[in-house]
């Protein structure tokens, strides 16, 4: 099996989960919706191009190695929004703030600080894009990439690499250049835990991963324009962590 493997790291990341009321929680790891959005941005697919998003959704499978979930950071967030008026069309944020009737919306938004994840992409047989095209898009993205929210930029190169292996864990354990000055400095910075968490979606072959559990998660995008999602099955396992 051929995989495209890349690294995600940033001072802040926010992987949206189902939200109730004013709370906006973050998952511990990148969600499928966030990863599809990242690849779509790299390919230059716009949010309103729903047919392209549907094709991309059917084209890719993701697996994740979580080296560090990062530290929880909670932001008390305020935003001004205009009252609803169906007679007017506000095309920009500047247009929204020009109105006389502005309301203040309060929310709590969660972020993950200093999280580090390795992502493996598997391309399905009916994909419109081949794995080399996606690699080139991640190397030279059409739109700016971010870690869940636009306020969460990448802090290290994705460094997408192609690898062929029958073992998913081997693909996710691929070596990357140090984030800091040397491998020794990375070892001092990385979490003290000797175990890493692996996650992969239905249809991917887990290979040597053992002690597998399965859960239902709600991050399968249905329509990006309407922010609609549905559930899917995700498999996970915890294994001895390789040194960086």
């Amino acid at each position: 099996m051929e995989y495209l493997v890349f690294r995600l790291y940033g001072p802040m990341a926010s992987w949206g989960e189902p939200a109730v009321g004013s709370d906006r929680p973050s998952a511990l790891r990148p969600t499928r919706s966030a990863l599809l959005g990242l690849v779509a941005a790299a390919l230059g697919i716009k949010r309103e191009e729903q047919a392209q998003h549907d094709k991309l959704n059917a084209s890719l499978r993701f697996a994740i190695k979580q080296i560090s979930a990062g530290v929880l950071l909670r932001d008390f967030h305020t935003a001004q929004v205009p009252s609803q008026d169906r007679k007017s069309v506000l095309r920009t944020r500047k247009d929204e703030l020009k109105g006389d009737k502005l309301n203040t919306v309060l929310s709590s938004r969660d972020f993950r600080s200093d999280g580090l994840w390795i992502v493996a992409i598997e391309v399905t047989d009916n994909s419109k894009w081949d794995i080399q095209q996606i690699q080139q898009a991640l190397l030279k993205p059409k739109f700016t990439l971010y870690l869940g929210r636009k306020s969460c930029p990448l802090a290290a190169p994705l460094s997408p690499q192609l690898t062929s292996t029958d073992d998913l864990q081997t693909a996710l354990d691929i070596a990357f250049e140090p984030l800091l000055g040397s491998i020794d400095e990375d070892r001092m910075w990385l979490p003290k835990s000797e175990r890493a968490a692996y996650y992969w979606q239905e249809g991917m072959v887990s290979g040597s991963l053992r002690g597998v559990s399965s859960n239902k998660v709600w991050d399968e995008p249905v329509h990006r324009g309407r922010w609609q999602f549905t559930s899917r099955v995700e498999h996970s396992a915890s294994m001895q962590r390789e040194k960086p």
Side-chain angles (χ1 to χ4, degrees), residues 15-223:
W15 312 117
E17 287 192 316
V20 178
S22 61
D23 291 333
R24 299 292 185 268
S26 170
L28 298 178
R29 60 196 176 278
T31 58
R32 175 168 170 80
S33 176
L35 293 174
L36 284 167
L38 185 142
V39 176
L43 291 167
I45 300 174
K46 298 179 180 180
R47 177 176 292 276
E48 61 269 20
E49 295 177 322
Q50 185 59 41
Q52 291 288 80
H53 285 291
D54 290 341
K55 290 178 182 178
L56 188 66
N57 193 0
S59 298
L60 305 181
R61 300 188 185 102
F62 296 102
I64 300 165
K65 176 184 179 181
Q66 180 173 279
I67 299 174
S68 169
V71 178
L72 176 64
L73 186 155
R74 181 159 291 168
D75 174 44
F76 178 69
H77 188 88
T78 63
Q80 287 187 303
V81 296
S83 298
Q84 187 176 11
D85 184 358
R86 298 189 180 187
K87 296 181 180 179
S88 62
V89 178
L90 304 176
R91 300 188 182 280
T92 67
R93 180 61 175 159
K94 183 178 180 180
D95 290 340
E96 289 182 346
L97 296 177
K98 283 181 179 178
D100 296 327
K101 298 180 181 179
L102 292 177
N103 307 300
T104 300
V105 177
L106 306 179
S107 64
S108 294
R109 303 190 180 193
D110 289 353
F111 298 85
R112 308 302 307 184
S113 178
D114 270 345
L116 177 60
W117 303 271
I118 307 299
V119 179
I121 295 178
E122 178 185 313
V123 175
T124 62
D125 293 337
N126 61 347
S127 174
K128 175 183 174 181
W129 302 269
D130 61 42
I131 203 163
Q132 289 80 14
Q133 286 177 298
I134 296 173
Q135 181 187 30
Q136 289 304 309
L138 293 178
L139 287 168
K140 296 182 178 181
K142 298 291 182 62
F143 299 138
T144 302
L145 307 183
Y146 48 87
L147 304 176
R149 292 186 183 275
K150 291 183 179 179
S151 59
C152 302
L154 300 171
L158 294 175
S159 303
Q161 307 175 48
L162 293 174
T163 183
S164 295
T165 177
D166 292 330
D167 186 68
L168 183 57
Q169 184 183 359
T170 299
L172 288 167
D173 287 344
I174 195 170
F176 286 85
E177 290 294 319
L179 285 166
L180 303 178
S182 67
I183 292 178
D184 288 338
E185 288 181 275
D186 270 13
R187 287 173 179 164
M188 292 292 292
W189 168 77
L190 286 169
K192 300 300 181 182
S193 173
E194 293 299 321
R195 302 187 72 80
Y198 296 81
Y199 304 90
W200 64 99
Q201 69 179 83
E202 192 82 4
M204 301 183 81
V205 180
S206 59
S208 63
L209 290 166
R210 296 292 180 265
V212 177
S213 62
S214 301
N215 296 286
K216 183 181 288 188
V217 292
W218 290 81
D219 65 354
E220 181 75 35
V222 176
H223 195 288

